[in-house]
Amino acid sequence: MNITTIIGLLAAFGTTVSFLPQAVKTIQTKNTSGISLAMYGLFTTGTLLWLIYGLMSGSLPVTIANAITFIFASIILIYKMIYK
């Protein structure tokens, strides 16, 4: 594994883990009043596109980070639509 991949994996870990507190809080409280539906819709779509890009380009850090982030973002987006 080269230094570029290691840096990418560390960056992916940091940005992905940053979603955990919001996802956990949203799941526990079901309170989505402070979350913008438009922002999370666009963000989730963008994350999905990054995931597809990562898969198509063979980039492990991009694929892993965006797969996990897509799951977290989708949960928050679904909760936002259900618990308005």
Side-chain angles (χ1 to χ4, degrees):
M1 193 176 304
N2 65 36
I3 190 71
T4 303
T5 302
I6 293 169
I7 290 171
L9 288 169
L10 290 172
F13 177 79
T15 56
T16 300
V17 169
S18 72
F19 259 86
L20 276 176
Q22 184 66 60
V24 169
K25 183 177 179 181
T26 301
I27 291 166
Q28 288 176 341
T29 66
K30 295 181 178 56
N31 180 1
T32 61
S33 62
I35 297 173
S36 166
L37 179 60
M39 180 273 180
Y40 259 88
L42 289 170
F43 180 77
T44 304
T45 301
T47 303
L48 176 61
L49 293 173
W50 273 114
L51 171 58
I52 293 167
Y53 170 81
L55 291 167
M56 292 176 75
S57 68
S59 174
L60 184 64
V62 173
T63 301
I64 291 171
N66 286 288
I68 295 168
T69 303
F70 178 71
I71 292 167
F72 292 153
S74 295
I75 290 168
I76 294 169
L77 182 61
I78 290 166
Y79 271 58
K80 178 64 179 175
M81 292 186 292
I82 293 172
Y83 302 107
K84 291 185 181 184

